[in-house]
């Protein structure tokens, strides 16, 4: 039986402000707060809220039949917390239905998987903690930024304990194979891979409102018919896209939500079900390993990482950023950590691309790739100075790690002793309270007057009779 795995990504760009060379060393705040609030509020109103409301209605109308998955970057969650909490409330309402799965992804929506294993692991764990905090369950399936994947990244995901991972069903990787099966990582056989159907996903997210497209207009019944007509043995249809495709890339006026709303009924008529990524990983066996020696992604025609690292400017910025990755992780300073998350975000590097075929790329405040590079490098220069200022630059990473480990151990010992002191103080207070109670009881008994007993009347009469005889 065929099953559809429908997944949406939620991520929000953190907009950097204009930062001049002369700001280095004097201004440590790098963000355009006005643009960040404006953009997330706009997307929430035009896309997230109507799209999530539609998905919730689909669940209510179809019961446990319809299921959907999301992943949310940590920096995206921070923007929602500050400027659009109603989106989080709607996601929690969806979560309560039991028909939604939330996946893990890097907190920063960054490229750490390509540079530093420890930073990547910390990034993913941090986001997983936030997902559990909001939705009550730790993710078991990983989705890397922009579906970036290779055999080595798959091995890292397996070592982090994930059972499955999403990636792109790129033609240059699959060759004659179909994306409609479950595969496994070539270096970690227990990690199952779900591959995005490029055509079925992009028909919705990229082409739905394109009147020049051969498939325009696209209707739900014909769309599901294409899925039903696939060979019987091809049972897994993975449709992955950004949630902002519903309302931003494809405007609501295109009836994109009406199209989406009709899909479950059409699927039910044709005997097609819906499943979450974890359900597929649990129920379906892998048909074979998938060899991905070179990194792939879901961006551009090449489906590689050239959109972020394709020119010397991008690679210089990338290498300079991750040159301090170990010091940032070892130092673990709260303010540095927040800036680290925001500066890692992949869009900072994509703004520098010189490729001509970037679909829907909006450079924001930047007029050219060099403009984006210059602004980012100015900010990065100040950031790295701050990182090095935390501890003398002459101290290498190993020495710094040893120093901070000693400090943390001492802090732990102090904390344990403080707890012991508190425990003993509580015990002393309890003993003093009991002692006060006992003292009060004794004083009460001491001040109490003794009771004198009167002699019995009969003995008195008897004594009186004896005296009279005498």
């Amino acid at each position: 039986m065929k099953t559809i795995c429908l997944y949406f990504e939620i991520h929000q760009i953190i907009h950097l402000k204009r930062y001049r060379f002369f700001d280095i060393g004097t201004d440590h705040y790098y963000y355009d707060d006005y643009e960040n609030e404006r953009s997330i509020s706009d997307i929430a109103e035009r896309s997230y809220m109507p799209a999530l409301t539609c998905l919730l209605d689909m669940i209510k109308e179809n019961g446990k039949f319809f299921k959907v998955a999301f992943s949310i970057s940590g920096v995206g969650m921070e923007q929602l917390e500050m400027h659009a909490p109603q989106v989080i409330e709607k996601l929690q309402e969806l979560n309560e239905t039991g028909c939604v799965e939330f996946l893990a992804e890097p907190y920063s929506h960054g490229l750490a998987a390509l540079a530093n294993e420890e930073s990547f692991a910390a990034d993913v764990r941090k986001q997983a903690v936030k997902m559990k905090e909001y939705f009550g369950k730790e993710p078991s399936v990983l989705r890397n930024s922009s579906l970036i994947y290779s055999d080595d990244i798959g091995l890292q995901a397996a070592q982090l304990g994930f059972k499955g991972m999403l990636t792109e069903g790129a033609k240059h990787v699959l060759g004659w194979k179909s994306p409609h099966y479950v595969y496994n990582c070539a270096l970690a056989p227990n990690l199952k891979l779900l591959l995005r159907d490029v055509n079925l996903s992009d028909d919705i997210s990229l082409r739905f409102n394109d009147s020049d497209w051969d498939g325009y207009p696209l209707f739900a019944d014909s769309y599901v018919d294409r899925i039903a007509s696939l060979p019987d043995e091809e049972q897994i249809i993975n449709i992955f896209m950004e949630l902002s495709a519903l309302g931003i890339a494809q405007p609501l006026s295109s009836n994109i939500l009406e199209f989406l709303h009709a899909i479950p009924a059409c699927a039910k008529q044709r005997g097609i079900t819906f499943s979450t990524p974890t359900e597929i990983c649990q129920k379906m066996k892998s048909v074979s390993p998938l060899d991905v020696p070179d990194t792939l992604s879901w961006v551009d025609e090449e489906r590689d990482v050239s959109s972020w690292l394709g020119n010397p400017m991008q690679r210089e910025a990338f290498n300079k950023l991750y040159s301090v990755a170990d010091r940032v992780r070892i130092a673990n300073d709260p303010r540095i950590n927040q800036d680290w998350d925001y500066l890692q975000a992949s869009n900072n590097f994509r703004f520098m691309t010189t490729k001509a075929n970037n679909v829907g790329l909006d450079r924001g405040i930047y007029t050219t790739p060099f403009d984006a590079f210059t602004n980012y490098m100015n900010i990065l220069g100040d950031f790295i100075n701050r990182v090095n200022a935390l501890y003398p630059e002459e101290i290498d990473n190993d020495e710094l790690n040893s120093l901070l480990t000693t400090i943390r151990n001492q802090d732990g010992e102090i904390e344990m002793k403080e707890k012991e002191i508190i425990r003993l103080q509580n015990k002393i207070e309890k003993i003093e309270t009991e002692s006060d109670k006992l003292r009060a009881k004794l004083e009460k008994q001491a001040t109490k007057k003794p009771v004198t007993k009167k002699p019995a009347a009969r003995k008195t009469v008897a004594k009186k009779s004896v005296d009279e005889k005498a």
Side-chain angles (χ1 to χ4, degrees):
M1 180 181 292
K2 289 181 171 56
T3 191
I4 295 172
C5 181
L6 184 62
Y7 153 82
F8 296 98
E9 180 216 17
I10 299 176
H11 169 62
Q12 181 61 28
I13 291 173
I14 303 296
H15 296 273
L16 303 178
K17 69 180 182 182
R18 281 288 178 187
Y19 194 91
R20 309 296 179 183
F21 176 80
F22 298 103
D23 294 327
I24 299 174
T26 61
D27 183 4
H28 304 317
Y29 192 77
Y30 313 134
Y31 315 107
D32 186 338
D33 291 335
Y34 172 80
E35 183 58 24
N36 285 327
E37 182 176 0
R38 186 208 63 80
S39 60
I40 188 65
S41 299
D42 180 62
I43 292 175
E45 180 181 351
R46 294 169 52 202
S47 172
Y48 293 167
M49 287 304 292
L52 294 174
T53 300
C54 176
L55 291 167
L56 182 59
D57 290 341
M58 293 163 68
I59 291 174
K60 290 178 178 178
E61 292 173 11
N62 294 279
K64 299 295 182 181
F65 173 77
F66 177 71
K67 298 172 183 178
V68 64
F70 297 94
S71 76
I72 313 169
S73 70
V75 296
M77 284 292 285
E78 289 183 13
Q79 291 297 295
L80 293 173
E81 288 169 343
M82 287 188 288
H83 305 304
Q86 70 274 18
V87 175
I88 298 179
E89 292 173 2
K90 185 64 70 173
L91 286 166
Q92 290 174 324
E93 191 176 351
L94 278 158
N95 182 55
E96 290 170 0
T97 65
C99 298
V100 176
E101 179 179 359
F102 290 90
L103 311 184
E105 75 161 58
Y107 191 97
S108 66
H109 199 271
L111 306 174
L114 305 176
N116 191 291
E117 289 188 15
E118 290 81 4
S119 292
F120 176 65
D123 214 8
V124 170
R125 290 192 188 104
K126 185 176 179 181
Q127 188 267 359
V129 168
K130 204 167 188 69
M131 292 300 99
K132 186 174 183 180
E133 175 188 342
Y134 273 100
F135 307 112
K137 189 175 181 181
E138 191 167 336
S140 61
V141 175
L142 173 65
R143 181 264 188 197
N144 198 10
S145 310
S146 300
L147 296 188
I148 290 173
Y149 177 82
S150 68
D151 292 336
D152 291 333
I153 294 173
L155 178 60
Q156 291 180 58
Q159 291 170 344
L160 288 171
F162 292 102
K163 306 303 181 185
M165 190 168 180
L166 311 187
T167 189
E168 180 77 341
K171 190 66 177 175
H172 71 275
V173 171
L174 284 170
W176 57 268
K177 297 178 181 178
S178 167
H180 305 138
Y181 296 92
V182 174
Y183 296 90
N184 65 269
C185 173
L187 300 182
N190 291 332
L191 182 78
K192 294 182 178 178
L193 302 177
L194 305 186
L195 308 185
R196 174 178 180 260
D197 186 302
V198 176
N199 291 327
L200 287 171
S201 300
D202 288 351
D203 284 352
I204 299 175
S205 62
L206 296 182
R207 295 183 281 268
F208 184 82
N209 195 44
D210 183 3
S211 58
D212 294 329
W213 172 45
D214 292 341
Y216 181 87
L218 182 63
F219 296 104
D221 55 354
S222 59
Y223 183 81
V224 176
D225 281 340
R226 285 169 54 194
I227 296 173
S229 65
L230 293 169
D232 291 342
E233 61 273 16
E234 298 187 13
Q235 297 183 4
I236 311 299
I237 293 83
N238 299 310
I239 301 171
F240 305 158
M241 68 192 80
E242 296 177 358
L243 185 62
S244 61
L246 309 178
I248 303 297
Q250 309 304 320
L252 298 181
S253 59
S254 68
N255 294 323
I256 184 71
L257 295 185
E258 288 77 7
F259 164 83
L260 185 70
H261 191 275
I263 287 179
C266 295
K268 190 178 292 186
Q269 291 175 358
R270 293 157 180 78
I272 300 172
T273 64
F274 288 83
S275 299
T276 64
T278 293
E279 288 177 339
I280 292 174
C281 290
Q282 289 174 342
K283 295 177 182 178
M284 304 297 293
K285 293 182 179 179
S286 168
V287 295
S288 72
L290 188 70
D291 294 312
V292 189
D294 300 318
T295 311
L296 62 86
S297 76
W298 72 355
V299 175
D300 294 343
E301 294 179 3
E302 296 85 355
R303 310 292 176 183
D304 58 14
V305 296
S306 59
S307 181
W308 304 282
L309 301 175
N311 65 47
M313 292 186 297
Q314 293 170 309
R315 291 191 291 273
E316 181 180 348
F318 178 82
N319 292 333
K320 188 171 183 180
L321 174 69
Y322 284 101
S323 69
V324 295
D326 292 331
R327 292 181 74 83
V328 169
R329 189 183 67 258
I330 293 168
N332 196 27
D333 178 82
R335 180 63 189 276
I336 290 292
N337 288 345
Q338 184 181 53
D339 290 336
W340 174 249
D341 289 337
Y342 295 167
L343 293 178
Q344 280 192 91
S346 61
N347 54 275
N348 292 313
F349 301 97
R350 196 176 184 198
F351 290 153
M352 305 174 198
T353 185
T354 51
K355 293 177 67 176
N357 62 335
N358 271 261
V359 179
L361 176 62
D362 179 4
R363 296 186 201 272
I365 63 172
Y366 307 122
T367 54
T368 65
F370 183 74
D371 185 23
F373 170 74
T374 303
N375 200 68
Y376 184 79
M377 292 302 282
N378 287 340
I379 291 173
L380 190 55
D382 183 79
F383 175 75
I384 290 177
N385 288 342
R386 289 167 55 212
V387 172
N388 291 332
L390 284 174
Y391 303 96
E393 193 173 356
E394 294 76 20
I395 302 178
D396 61 27
N397 289 338
D398 291 338
E399 188 178 354
L400 177 60
N401 193 20
S402 176
L403 173 64
L404 292 180
T405 299
T406 301
I407 293 172
R408 291 190 187 107
N409 289 341
Q410 290 175 345
D411 288 342
E413 290 178 7
I414 292 172
E415 184 179 356
M416 288 177 63
K417 288 178 180 179
E418 287 177 346
K419 289 180 179 178
E420 180 66 13
I421 289 170
I422 292 172
R423 187 185 70 81
L424 292 173
Q425 286 176 339
N426 291 335
K427 189 173 182 180
I428 291 171
E429 289 177 2
K430 187 176 180 181
I431 292 172
E432 289 178 345
T433 301
E434 293 296 326
S435 177
D436 290 342
K437 289 180 180 179
L438 181 59
R439 188 180 298 110
K441 185 177 180 180
L442 293 173
E443 289 176 353
K444 186 177 180 181
Q445 290 177 350
T447 56
K448 192 175 181 181
K449 293 182 179 180
V451 178
T452 304
K453 293 184 178 180
K454 293 182 178 181
R458 187 173 57 185
K459 290 182 180 179
T460 303
V461 172
K463 185 178 179 183
K464 192 174 185 181
S465 299
V466 171
D467 292 339
E468 287 175 353
K469 287 180 181 180

